[in-house]
Amino acid sequence: MSPASTGASTTVGAVATVPAAPAPAPAAPSSRSCSPSDSRMAPGGPGYRRMSFALFLAGVATFALLYSTQALLPLISGEFGVAASDASWTVAAATGGLALFVLPMSALSERYGRRTVMTGSLAVAVGLGLLVPFAPSLDALVVLRGLQGAALAGLPASATAYLAEEVRPRALVTAIGLFVAGNSVGGMSGRVITGWVAQEWGWRVAVAVIGVVAVVCAVAFRLLLSAPRHFTPGSLRPRVLARTVRDHLADPLLRRLYAIGALFMTVFGGVYTVIGYRLTEAPFSLPQGIVGSIFLVYLVGTVSASTAGRLVGRLGRRGALYLAGGTTATGLLVSLADSLPLVLLGLVLITAGFFAGHAVASSAVGKTATTGRAQASALYQSAYYIGSSAGSTVGATAFHAGGWAGTVGVGVLAVAGVVTITVLGSRAARRQPLAAAH
């Protein structure tokens, strides 16, 4: 799923961590200045639709592969004779691998180009995806999934950096939202397809089908995505990379955005790792195909992510985060009911809140960082997928200990963290003008 990447502004020359020559890096122009001569893409302009569709397909492939086993966990538990907390490692290993490698992969994209790294990442991930169905044991499956996640690490940060360089600032949130929407479609279609295929032919055939779908998406992505026009190669020197990472982590706003992304994904990872177990057990006792179809609620995330730009325009970034957090928390509480319609309503609210929050936070990272944007995005993605891994394992452990209420409790605590961080950010923003006045 993507929730992401997230599934997230930007200008010529600002993206390289350090220029190849010792001359100072060019200053980034203000995002408010978009002259008619600006050669970057904008909605309605040449190449924008083609580029958006290419990255949409990349998002589909990324989340379909990354979460291909999530809807199948009850079947994997049954075949290998393990508990939910053990089977959940097939998800946690993939997201953990992505979290660990997203920063090194972003450094490669600074040197060799966004499109090159994204293409290579998809090719390796697709190849591993075709091996996953033949895993002879749970341990082998977890290892393959971890490698697959590491391979996919080249996609999220490189995609957001590509957009930050190639798209006009005013259109960036919308463009990022479309990429995140692709994540949601990939997460949804992967789970729905695997649910119905697994019901008839087992989980191994189901993940093989996802591998084939990802091959098609990867080929179309490479054919559609145009060569970057505003990319400036940067340095691969470890000392330069370390300094860039240190500078990003020293920025209070970026730290808050990273924490918000991790906490939102903790909720989402926990809920969707465990929901299959809850719905296949009493009082629902749903068949695997129906459980897979529950993930159609991802369509709500597609809509909420793609409209995040308008939400920020009306409420501001912090207002949009409050709304996303409140929607997610409401969904968690509604899902406690032993009524299938209410559980579905809860999932709709959780999904809408999560994808909106993710799109808002990831796009804010791109706007906040003025240099080393690939590394800034990579740090966000790393925190985001660490949250996914934590949500998968902690959510499953809480479910084993306290049922669905335990998983909801973990989610509510994570949302409370989002709200607290946003409140602290609001106070810090109010203090800055006062400090400047004195």
Side-chain angles (χ1 to χ4, degrees):
M1 280 177 14
S2 353
S5 168
T6 238
S9 341
T10 74
T11 50
V12 182
V15 291
T17 306
V18 165
S30 169
S31 63
R32 295 179 182 176
S33 60
C34 283
S35 65
S37 61
D38 193 337
S39 60
R40 288 172 292 178
M41 289 181 279
Y48 181 85
R49 183 174 299 178
R50 181 186 178 106
M51 176 274 299
S52 296
F53 187 53
L55 289 175
F56 178 86
L57 291 175
V60 169
T62 299
F63 257 47
L65 289 170
L66 193 63
Y67 293 100
S68 59
T69 62
Q70 194 171 55
L72 306 173
L73 294 180
L75 296 179
I76 293 172
S77 289
E79 176 170 333
F80 294 118
V82 297
S85 56
D86 296 319
S88 70
W89 278 103
T90 64
V91 179
T95 54
L98 193 154
L100 288 174
F101 281 85
V102 68
L103 188 58
M105 294 295 279
S106 75
L108 290 177
S109 82
E110 290 281 13
R111 181 67 183 87
Y112 298 108
R114 321 302 185 194
R115 188 174 69 162
T116 299
V117 170
M118 287 189 284
T119 301
S121 291
L122 269 181
V124 175
V126 165
L128 290 167
L130 297 176
L131 295 177
V132 166
F134 303 101
S137 65
L138 181 63
D139 290 341
L141 179 58
V142 169
V143 169
L144 283 172
R145 295 282 293 145
L147 293 173
Q148 194 173 39
L152 287 170
L155 265 297
S158 297
T160 53
Y162 179 95
L163 290 170
E165 294 160 2
E166 305 298 326
V167 176
R168 296 186 185 185
R170 290 182 181 178
L172 184 61
V173 176
T174 299
I176 293 292
L178 289 172
F179 176 65
V180 174
N183 293 344
S184 70
V185 169
M188 175 202 69
S189 59
R191 291 162 171 92
V192 173
I193 291 170
T194 55
W196 284 105
V197 173
Q199 183 171 303
E200 297 297 326
W201 295 288
W203 70 268
R204 294 180 184 274
V205 175
V207 292
V209 170
I210 292 301
V212 173
V213 170
V215 169
V216 174
C217 288
V219 171
F221 160 80
R222 185 60 181 82
L223 293 175
L224 289 171
L225 190 68
S226 59
R229 300 175 61 189
H230 302 281
F231 169 71
T232 302
S235 173
L236 272 178
R237 288 176 292 173
R239 184 176 299 176
V240 173
L241 177 61
R243 184 170 63 245
T244 303
V245 170
R246 183 191 62 214
D247 290 344
H248 289 327
L249 292 177
D251 187 311
L253 176 54
L254 286 176
R255 288 201 305 267
R256 289 194 292 269
L257 292 171
Y258 297 154
I260 286 170
L263 289 168
F264 265 124
M265 196 54 170
T266 297
V267 180
F268 200 67
V271 165
Y272 278 101
T273 294
V274 171
I275 191 63
Y277 289 97
R278 188 188 185 200
L279 295 179
T280 54
E281 295 176 355
F284 306 110
S285 302
L286 298 179
Q288 188 65 45
I290 298 297
V291 170
S293 297
I294 296 298
F295 291 92
L296 285 168
V297 298
Y298 265 49
L299 288 172
V300 176
T302 304
V303 175
S304 67
S306 59
T307 58
R310 281 179 287 180
L311 191 64
V312 172
R314 292 181 180 180
L315 303 176
R317 184 180 67 244
R318 286 185 287 272
L321 289 173
Y322 285 132
L323 180 59
T327 301
T328 304
T330 301
L332 287 166
L333 297 176
V334 169
S335 72
L336 286 168
D338 285 335
S339 163
L340 187 57
L342 288 178
V343 171
L344 294 178
L345 175 60
L347 291 176
V348 166
L349 294 173
I350 292 166
T351 303
F354 162 73
F355 275 105
H358 169 40
V360 171
S362 60
S363 62
V365 168
K367 289 185 175 181
T368 302
T370 56
T371 59
R373 285 191 176 90
Q375 280 75 51
S377 295
L379 287 169
Y380 176 84
Q381 297 292 337
S382 182
Y384 175 80
Y385 286 107
I386 287 172
S388 178
S389 294
S392 297
T393 53
V394 176
T397 301
F399 180 77
H400 181 73
W404 182 250
T407 302
V408 167
V410 171
V412 169
L413 287 174
V415 173
V418 169
V419 173
T420 300
I421 291 169
T422 307
V423 169
L424 293 175
S426 299
R427 291 179 178 176
R430 285 196 297 268
R431 285 197 297 267
Q432 284 178 350
L434 294 176
H438 290 81

